[in-house]
């Protein structure tokens, strides 16, 4: 019967369509390439983990001199999502879904990302730059998402959120504006790298505009690196995965045009060749992100939409970045550190405990 | 069948819907409290062969699926 599978023909908003997310992903890929041309480190048009780590350094939360800068892209992402969610009447102050658990998950995800040297978005951009180490990372990321899905299917949940005070949701956008003021005013107590990745950046206002555009697009499309694979496996939905693939295709093409494409494992920018730890680092990020309900980029966007659970996660990532550099956990181009390897193992145990404790395996009606 | 997904976030609303559909109901009503969940549940129901109607009130929407 025709009317049995009658699909309500209400017009699908453009950004809910496959064309919409492909276009958005393509624009994100193109902007990432452009930011590298204009001064960002190679294969780092965007990296939520690296950029939050740079901000942590600028604020003096760690003293690694080569990674200190207030990245306007992060400010733009939060503000872009904020503006778009207000315009679309989607802005809502809410929170209360196991905030301290999310804070520590944020720390764990940051540790995994800085072992690999990149968040899932930078992993995608590294693949698009020909960095085969990121393919190893992708395999780990998929494995981590797989583990997370097992627990989701076993009833994992961090419990529901609730409405918070109206102003609660404005804290993160205001915090972003505060960062922007500190960046422009550049007072003596803010640290700016003189050399290394922290000293490589696109002009402030271009980087801010890039963040705003991507923030707007990501808010409209709900672009999420972890959601792509998760939704494909769990619900056979391709929508978010198409965005993920569009970023790779367009950024790879852009990198070739701008002579920034180099296929191989060795001598890749801001990367190391330690396959096991690239795999495990991203497995940690994948698993942690599934538990959090979205990748680091998505957490920033939700924080801009008034979600204080995601805001707490972002703060956890900032602290995680500081921990990584204060305790010598972060990798460098030379590879991983013993401390970093131990930290990853500890984080896996932590994720397992969190996963089991919050799933229906042992959960009663609490 | 009626399920309330208010307060839950990605991917819980769709997962709850999926678990409900295992019983193959002719009708299902999913209460959602944000646009993301509304869109995701709508898309999922359509992909499972349901026709979808959405009733939006102030803060919540009821996504109704019918076989």
């Amino acid at each position: 019967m025709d009317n049995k599978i009658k699909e309500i023909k209400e017009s699908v908003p453009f950004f809910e369509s496959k064309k919409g997310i492909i276009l958005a992903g393509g624009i994100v890929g193109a902007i990432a390439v452009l930011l590298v041309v204009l001064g960002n480190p190679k294969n780092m048009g965007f990296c939520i983990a690296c950029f939050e780590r740079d901000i942590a350094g600028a604020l003096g939360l760690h003293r690694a001199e080569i990674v200190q800068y207030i990245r306007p892209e992060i400010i733009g992402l939060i503000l872009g999502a904020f503006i778009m969610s207000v315009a679309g009447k989607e802005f809502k102050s809410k929170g209360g879904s196991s905030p301290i658990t999310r804070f520590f998950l944020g720390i764990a995800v940051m540790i995994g990302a800085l072992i690999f040297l990149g968040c899932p978005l930078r992993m995608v951009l590294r693949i698009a730059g020909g960095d085969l180490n990121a393919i190893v990372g992708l395999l780990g990321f998929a494995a981590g998402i797989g583990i997370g899905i097992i627990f989701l299917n076993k009833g994992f949940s961090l419990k529901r959120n609730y409405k918070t005070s109206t102003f609660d949701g404005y804290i993160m956008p205001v915090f972003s504006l505060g960062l922007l003021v500190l960046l422009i005013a550049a007072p003596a107590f803010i640290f700016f790298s003189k050399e290394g990745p922290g000293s490589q950046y696109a002009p402030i206002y271009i980087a801010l505009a890039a963040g705003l555009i991507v923030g707007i697009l990501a808010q409209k499309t709900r672009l999420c690196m972890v959601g792509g694979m998760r939704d494909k496996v769990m619900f056979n939905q391709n929508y978010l995965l198409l965005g993920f693939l569009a970023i790779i295709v367009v950024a790879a093409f852009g990198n070739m045009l701008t002579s920034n494409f180099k296929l191989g494992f060795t001598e890749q920018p801001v990367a190391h060749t330690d396959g096991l730890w690239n795999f495990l680092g991203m497995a940690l990020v994948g698993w942690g992100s599934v538990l959090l309900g979205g990748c680091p980029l998505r957490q920033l966007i939700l924080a801009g939409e008034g979600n204080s659970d995601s805001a707490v996660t972002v703060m956890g990532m900032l602290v995680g970045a500081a921990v990584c550099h204060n305790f010598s956990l972060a990798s460098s181009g030379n590879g991983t550190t013993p401390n970093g390897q131990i930290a990853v193992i500890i984080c896996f145990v932590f994720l397992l405990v969190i996963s089991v404790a919050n799933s229906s395996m042992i959960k009663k009606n609490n | 069948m009626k399920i309330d997904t208010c307060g839950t976030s990605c991917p819980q609303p769709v997962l709850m819907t999926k678990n409900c559909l295992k019983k193959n109901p002719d009708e299902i009503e999913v209460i959602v409290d944000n646009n993301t969940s509304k869109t995701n549940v709508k898309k999922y129901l359509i992909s499972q062969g349901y026709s979808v109607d959405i009733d939006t009130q102030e803060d919540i929407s009821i996504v109704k699926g019918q076989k």
Side-chain angles (χ1 to χ4, degrees):
Chain A
M1 293 292 288
D2 271 356
N3 64 354
K4 246 199 155 171
I5 35 175
K6 154 184 87 146
E7 193 175 310
I8 301 275
K9 286 289 177 215
E10 56 174 316
S11 62
V12 175
F14 177 71
F15 281 115
E16 285 179 23
S17 69
K18 287 181 176 172
K19 279 182 189 156
I21 188 114
I22 290 170
L23 178 71
I27 293 171
V28 172
I31 288 177
V33 170
L34 187 70
L35 286 172
V36 170
V37 171
L38 294 172
N40 275 16
K42 284 192 175 172
N43 292 351
M44 209 190 279
F46 280 98
C47 175
I48 310 310
C50 309
F51 289 2
E52 286 173 352
R53 180 266 319 276
D54 292 347
I55 290 172
L59 299 176
L61 300 176
H62 68 73
R63 299 298 163 97
E65 288 181 353
I66 57 169
V67 282
Q68 297 173 321
Y69 179 58
I70 296 180
R71 295 273 176 188
E73 292 90 343
I74 298 286
I75 298 167
L77 285 167
I78 294 174
L79 292 178
F82 171 68
I83 292 163
M84 208 61 224
S85 63
V86 170
K89 296 191 170 57
E90 287 186 70
F91 180 86
K92 273 190 202 141
S93 294
K94 55 188 178 188
S97 164
S98 313
I100 196 67
T101 302
R102 290 177 187 272
F103 182 84
F104 279 92
L105 284 173
I107 293 177
V109 165
M110 183 56 97
I111 289 171
L114 292 182
I115 294 294
F116 166 73
L117 290 176
C119 73
L121 180 54
R122 182 169 189 246
M123 175 188 76
V124 166
L125 295 172
R126 280 174 60 178
I127 292 170
D131 180 348
L132 295 175
N133 301 296
I135 298 282
V136 179
L138 178 66
L139 295 174
F141 188 56
I145 292 171
I147 299 169
I149 288 173
I150 291 170
F151 287 102
L152 281 179
N153 284 330
K154 289 200 179 296
F156 175 88
S157 164
L158 291 176
K159 289 276 185 277
R160 64 159 301 170
N161 60 40
Y162 300 89
K163 272 187 186 170
T164 54
S165 78
T166 313
F167 190 73
D168 194 53
Y170 292 96
I171 297 277
M172 278 308 267
V174 170
F175 172 72
S176 311
L177 285 173
L179 285 177
L180 187 60
V181 169
L182 289 173
L183 172 64
I184 294 166
F189 56 81
I190 298 291
F191 298 91
F192 292 109
S193 295
K194 305 255 184 317
E195 54 184 26
S199 68
Q200 300 166 10
Y201 48 83
I204 289 179
Y205 295 106
I206 292 176
L208 181 66
L212 283 167
I213 294 167
V214 173
I216 286 167
L217 290 172
Q219 199 281 329
K220 285 304 285 180
T221 58
R222 303 184 310 280
L223 188 70
C224 173
M225 301 298 109
V226 79
M229 287 190 206
R230 180 197 65 205
D231 292 356
K232 179 69 191 166
V233 173
M234 290 182 81
F235 312 120
N236 198 23
Q237 302 267 314
N238 295 329
Y239 173 78
L240 290 173
L241 196 59
L242 290 171
F244 182 99
L245 295 171
I247 298 174
I248 295 184
V249 171
V250 173
F253 189 65
N255 282 329
M256 287 173 193
L257 282 180
T258 54
S259 312
N260 279 328
F261 186 89
K262 191 175 72 166
L263 195 67
F265 283 100
T266 54
E267 291 175 17
Q268 292 290 352
V270 198
H272 62 79
T273 55
D274 194 336
L276 173 66
W277 294 98
N278 279 330
F279 182 94
L280 290 175
M282 279 321 276
L284 189 57
V285 174
W287 186 0
S289 296
V290 168
L291 300 185
L292 285 164
C295 71
L297 168 71
R298 182 78 187 137
Q299 299 302 328
L300 276 178
I301 302 302
L302 289 169
E305 289 180 19
N307 185 323
S308 62
D309 291 321
S310 291
V312 166
T313 306
V314 171
M315 289 298 155
M317 290 189 71
L318 272 178
V319 169
V323 167
C324 280
H325 284 283
N326 290 336
F327 301 169
S328 302
L329 312 182
S331 301
S332 67
N334 302 323
T336 52
T337 65
N339 291 10
Q341 295 175 4
I342 293 166
V344 169
I345 304 297
I346 293 171
C347 286
F348 272 121
V349 174
F350 168 68
L351 257 55
L352 184 64
V353 170
I354 295 292
S355 299
V356 172
N358 292 290
S359 68
S360 49
M361 293 173 189
I362 60 165
K363 208 161 50 175
K364 302 286 177 281
N365 298 326
N366 56 356
Chain B
M1 296 189 76
K2 208 167 187 172
I3 46 173
D4 183 353
T5 70
C6 289
T8 62
S9 53
C10 248
Q12 302 289 349
V14 181
L15 188 56
M16 289 159 88
T17 306
K18 182 184 175 182
N19 289 336
C20 257
L21 293 192
K22 284 176 184 166
K23 300 181 184 128
N24 209 4
D26 288 337
E27 282 191 10
I28 181 167
E29 287 192 4
V30 186
I31 304 170
V32 294
D33 67 352
N34 66 80
N35 249 342
T36 305
S37 302
K38 182 170 78 181
T39 308
N40 289 346
V41 169
K42 176 182 80 178
K43 281 183 179 174
Y44 185 70
L45 284 173
I46 289 171
S47 76
Q48 299 303 305
Y50 285 76
S51 63
V52 174
D53 205 353
I54 298 179
D55 179 7
T56 300
Q57 288 142 17
E58 212 162 279
D59 263 353
I60 62 163
S61 299
I62 301 170
V63 184
K64 296 175 183 164
Q66 274 197 314
K67 271 272 182 192

